[in-house]
């Protein structure tokens, strides 16, 4: 049926379909068939943008819709049998009710139901009222997150020191999504931020239904003059975290969605508690949460030397950043520390009491990761380079230094040096009984080692003309040799790296 306007100015969409539930604790589902032209009137998309990094959908590719999808539906023989997946919400702009009716075809727990959706047309709502609705929506998520954090803080008072955690909850890698959500909420308080783009995204995400999968098919079909019927499978009143989870599960295996985008949204679109609650389900679905933790720290944490420099394939970022896959190796070298006896020496001193039995590598690595020390020491190293070159063109994207493969190979050379010198560098520190004193000494010695290493990297080295591409096996070998020579203060004149 078509959507009709009610006397109070709201709109009504009424449709019959199938209600069912696949598992006892899974969301209620409602499947129906409706025209694309009706659906786009109340279906929005939680699209990412410069202001809305916490949303989970990619921006609509209008060119793809008009030049590929709409022409596809104009061909009489074509169809799309796959369902559009949406969420249906009871909210401050909509009201939904279901009415069951008897039928002889009910089976497998399926019920025939009639959905009535009353909603406000967001296109006709003033900017001021949109801001009010948006604040209510964001506050509901932030209040839940703050309440959960307070509960965790209370529980932490009873914890012992066995986890050796040196970081607060605010430093947790899964907390980035919560802090970004609060930044977005704060932006709404200042009218100067109420740009046309922001208002468009707000109107879209406040609609009573959000498209989780199939936005291009939906808007492409709506571009056809005829009313193209589409099969719709809707999640009834799912939480925000459930919507993000469904998007990840549907798209993680899809070739059209880049892996960096999936990883990015898992950390940015969920608050700390939301991601924590989905941890087991996301792992079961095949998402590597260590990758979320590492890459969110490197790319989005305010302390990261690489803040905003990594290419997560976000549609709002038009400038290619540092290569995601190579930067993942950079972070993993600290997080996993597989080939670094030097880092394991640091772990032994940090986490092992002099009079107690040494922990095995698995236990050491667990403390290293859970405490966030992997990231703390990585920042010491790369902040030294940023401090030295941050005010020059050398610390600009795609300079000779700020190139992912160069970063990888500089770091690899430092790890070799640390491995060779760790025993001598950290000599006698492990005999110190005081935990805080040991940590202070290890940081001081490590920082000293980093400074000596970075001092040998002169500005002139990176101002020379380098070969255009070094991201291959021969290029890596040449870079490894170059940085070894720099570290050992040998001549680099006429080196193969230089073009």
């Amino acid at each position: 049926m078509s959507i009709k306007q009610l006397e109070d100015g709201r709109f009504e969409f009424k449709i019959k379909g199938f209600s069912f539930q696949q598992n006892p604790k899974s969301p209620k589902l409602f499947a129906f068939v409706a025209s694309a032209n009706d659906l786009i009137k109340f279906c929005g998309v939680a699209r990412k943008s410069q202001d809305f990094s916490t949303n989970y959908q990619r921006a609509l590719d209008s060119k793809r819709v008009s030049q590929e999808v709409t022409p596809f539906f104009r061909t009489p023989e074509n169809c799309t049998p796959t369902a559009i997946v949406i969420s249906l919400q009871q909210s401050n702009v909509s009201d939904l009710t279901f009415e069951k009716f008897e039928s002889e075809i009910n089976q497998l727990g399926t019920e025939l139901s009639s959905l009535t959706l009353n909603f406000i047309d967001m296109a006709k709502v003033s900017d001021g009222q949109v801001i009010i609705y948006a604040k209510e929506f964001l506050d509901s998520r932030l209040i839940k997150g703050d309440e959960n954090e307070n509960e965790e803080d209370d529980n932490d008072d009873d914890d012992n020191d066995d986890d050796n955690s040196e970081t607060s909850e605010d430093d947790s890698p899964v907390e980035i999504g919560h802090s970004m959500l609060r930044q977005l909420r704060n932006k709404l308080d200042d009218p100067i931020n109420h740009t046309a783009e922001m208002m468009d995204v707000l109107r879209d995400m406040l609609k009573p239904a959000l498209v989780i999968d199939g936005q291009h098919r939906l808007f492409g079909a709506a571009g056809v003059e005829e009313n193209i019927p589409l099969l719709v499978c809707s999640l009834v009143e799912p939480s925000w975290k459930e919507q993000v989870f469904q998007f990840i599960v549907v798209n993680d295996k899809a070739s059209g969605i880049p892996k960096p985008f999936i990883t990015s949204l898992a950390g940015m679109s969920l608050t700390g508690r939301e991601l924590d609650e989905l941890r087991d389900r996301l792992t079961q679905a095949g998402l590597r949460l260590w990758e979320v933790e590492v890459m969110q720290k490197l790319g989005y944490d305010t302390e990261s030397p690489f803040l905003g420099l990594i290419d997560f394939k976000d549609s709002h970022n038009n400038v290619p950043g540092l290569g995601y896959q190579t930067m993942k190796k950079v972070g993993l070298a600290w997080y996993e520390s597989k080939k670094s006896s030097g880092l394991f020496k640091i772990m032994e001193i940090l986490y092992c009491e002099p009079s107690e039995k040494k922990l095995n590598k698995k236990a050491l690595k667990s403390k290293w990761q859970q405490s966030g020390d992997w990231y703390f020491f990585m920042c010491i190293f790369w902040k030294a380079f940023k401090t030295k070159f941050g005010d020059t063109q050398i610390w600009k994207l795609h300079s000779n230094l700020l190139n992912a493969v160069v970063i990888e190979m500089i770091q690899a050379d430092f790890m070799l040096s640390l491995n060779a010198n760790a025993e001598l560098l950290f000599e006698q520190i492990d005999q110190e009984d005081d935990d805080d004193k040991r940590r202070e000494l290890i940081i001081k010695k490590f920082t000293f080692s980093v400074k000596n290493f970075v001092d040998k990297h002169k500005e002139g080295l990176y101002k020379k003309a380098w070969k255009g591409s070094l991201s291959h096996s021969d290029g890596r070998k040449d870079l490894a040799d170059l940085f070894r020579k720099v570290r050992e203060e040998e001549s680099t004149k006429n080196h193969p790296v230089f073009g």
Side-chain angles (χ1 to χ4, degrees):
M1 65 164 291
S2 297
I3 294 173
K4 67 178 182 180
Q5 186 168 0
L6 304 178
E7 292 182 359
D8 62 359
R10 294 167 70 96
F11 290 81
E12 181 184 81
F13 173 75
K14 202 165 186 175
I15 196 99
K16 293 179 180 179
F18 295 91
S19 295
F20 60 102
Q21 198 169 10
Q22 293 179 338
N23 276 305
K25 295 183 179 180
S26 66
K28 178 183 176 182
L29 300 175
F30 180 68
F32 61 95
V33 175
S35 78
N37 301 81
D38 277 351
L39 290 170
I40 63 170
K41 294 175 183 177
F42 64 85
C43 286
V45 181
R47 299 188 182 107
K48 282 182 175 291
S49 70
Q50 194 66 45
D51 291 316
F52 291 85
S53 297
T54 56
N55 281 350
Y56 59 82
Q57 269 278 18
R58 294 175 297 169
L60 187 72
D61 187 340
S62 301
K63 184 176 180 181
R64 178 184 170 196
V65 168
S66 62
Q67 297 185 10
E68 296 179 24
V69 185
T70 297
F72 172 87
F73 281 109
R74 285 201 175 108
T75 301
E77 293 82 5
N78 288 345
C79 73
T80 175
T82 308
I84 306 295
V85 181
I86 69 172
S87 69
L88 282 171
Q89 300 291 348
Q90 184 95 16
S91 71
N92 49 7
V93 301
S94 64
D95 179 68
L96 58 95
T97 57
F98 288 92
E99 181 181 352
K100 300 176 185 177
F101 57 92
E102 296 298 324
S103 172
E104 296 180 358
I105 65 171
N106 291 3
Q107 56 186 338
L108 293 176
T110 302
E111 298 175 338
L112 291 180
S113 300
S114 176
L115 163 69
T116 301
L117 176 66
N118 288 317
F119 62 94
I120 298 172
D121 184 357
M122 295 306 298
K124 299 180 180 180
V125 176
S126 69
D127 287 359
Q129 188 60 47
V130 169
I131 294 296
I132 292 173
Y133 288 144
K135 287 180 178 179
E136 291 173 355
F137 170 75
L138 295 173
D139 284 343
S140 66
R141 289 187 64 207
L142 286 168
I143 289 171
K144 290 178 183 177
D146 290 339
E147 288 174 348
N148 287 328
E149 284 178 11
N150 291 334
E151 290 175 9
E152 290 175 350
D153 289 342
D154 292 339
N155 293 333
D156 287 344
D157 292 339
D158 299 326
D159 292 345
N160 57 35
D161 295 329
D162 288 345
D163 66 355
N164 198 46
S165 177
E166 297 288 343
T167 56
S168 67
E169 183 65 16
D170 288 341
D171 294 323
S172 168
V174 297
E175 189 48 29
I176 293 172
H178 188 277
S179 63
M180 296 186 80
L181 192 67
R182 186 170 295 283
Q183 289 173 18
L184 170 58
R185 171 59 179 85
N186 291 339
K187 280 186 177 182
L188 298 185
D189 288 330
D190 190 348
I192 198 171
N193 296 318
H194 301 170
T195 63
E197 180 189 19
M198 172 178 274
M199 300 309 301
D200 286 346
V201 176
L202 286 175
R203 282 188 167 85
D204 221 23
M205 65 180 262
L206 288 170
K207 287 183 178 180
L210 293 177
V211 180
I212 296 172
D213 185 57
Q215 62 165 326
H216 289 91
R217 281 177 286 144
L218 171 58
F219 286 90
V224 180
E225 291 73 15
E226 296 82 10
N227 286 321
I228 301 292
L230 295 175
L231 176 62
V232 180
C233 185
S234 54
L235 285 76
V236 180
E237 297 192 75
S239 64
W240 180 265
K241 70 178 182 183
E242 184 65 32
Q243 294 177 59
V244 176
F245 174 79
Q246 294 296 335
F247 179 86
I248 290 172
V249 171
V250 168
N251 291 292
D252 188 38
K253 308 302 185 214
S255 59
I257 306 288
K259 186 70 174 182
F261 184 89
I262 296 294
T263 302
S264 171
L265 76 89
M268 292 169 60
S269 301
L270 299 168
T271 65
R273 172 54 70 93
E274 288 170 339
L275 183 53
D276 219 30
E277 291 171 343
L278 287 177
R279 193 170 289 273
D280 290 342
R281 291 174 65 194
L282 288 170
T283 300
Q284 186 182 43
L287 189 74
R288 295 177 291 191
L289 289 184
W290 67 260
E291 187 171 333
V292 174
E293 179 177 347
V294 169
M295 295 309 293
Q296 289 305 311
K297 277 294 190 185
L298 264 64
Y300 295 105
D301 187 74
T302 54
E303 292 298 313
S304 174
F306 305 113
L307 174 64
L309 298 177
I310 299 174
D311 191 355
F312 281 93
K313 305 299 181 185
D314 289 351
S315 56
H316 62 265
N317 184 7
N318 297 320
V319 179
L322 298 171
Y324 176 92
Q325 295 299 336
T326 304
M327 292 306 295
K328 184 171 71 174
K329 294 179 185 177
V330 170
L332 195 60
W334 297 89
Y335 187 80
E336 285 288 341
S337 314
K338 286 183 178 179
K339 298 179 180 179
S340 180
S341 59
L343 291 182
F344 273 105
K345 180 62 179 178
I346 292 174
M347 294 178 213
E348 285 182 356
I349 299 173
L350 286 175
Y351 311 134
C352 297
E353 298 287 346
S355 59
E356 294 181 357
K357 182 180 178 181
K358 299 294 185 184
L359 299 174
N360 61 35
K361 282 191 172 184
K362 183 177 180 181
L364 289 172
K365 188 166 69 172
S366 177
K367 287 181 175 290
W368 177 251
Q369 293 171 353
Q370 291 177 14
S371 67
D373 279 336
W374 71 269
Y375 178 66
F376 176 81
F377 283 91
M378 188 212 77
C379 283
I380 291 176
F381 178 71
W382 282 112
K383 279 183 178 180
F385 275 96
K386 185 176 181 181
T387 298
K388 182 169 184 175
F389 297 115
D391 294 330
T392 73
Q393 291 298 313
I394 294 172
W395 196 262
K396 299 292 183 183
L397 272 176
H398 309 304
S399 66
N400 287 332
L401 172 59
L402 217 56
N403 184 294
V405 68
V406 174
I407 290 169
E408 178 190 9
M409 299 312 297
I410 288 175
Q411 180 174 283
D413 187 69
F414 174 75
M415 293 294 188
L416 289 175
S417 174
L418 185 65
N419 293 347
N421 299 305
E423 290 293 338
L424 182 61
L425 181 65
F426 304 123
E427 189 177 17
Q428 301 301 318
I429 297 179
D430 55 359
Q431 301 303 311
E432 173 62 54
D433 289 327
D434 186 276
D435 291 351
D436 292 336
K437 187 64 174 177
R438 284 204 315 276
R439 183 176 183 85
E440 180 184 335
L441 289 172
I442 202 82
I443 292 172
K444 184 177 180 180
K445 288 281 190 178
F446 181 80
T447 303
F448 174 79
S449 176
V450 168
K451 183 180 185 305
N452 283 344
F453 181 88
V454 175
D455 282 348
K456 295 173 183 177
H457 287 253
K458 307 299 183 184
E459 193 170 327
L461 175 71
Y462 297 100
K463 286 187 172 180
K464 293 182 178 181
W466 287 28
K467 288 182 177 178
S469 175
L470 293 163
S471 187
H472 47 77
S473 59
D474 288 341
R476 281 179 165 82
K477 289 178 183 178
D478 287 341
L479 285 170
D481 182 68
L482 174 68
F483 296 134
R484 179 192 62 78
K485 289 180 180 293
V486 170
R487 173 168 46 87
E488 296 179 356
E489 299 182 286
E490 296 180 9
S491 173
T492 59
K493 187 178 181 180
N494 300 321
H495 195 277
V497 163
F498 306 133

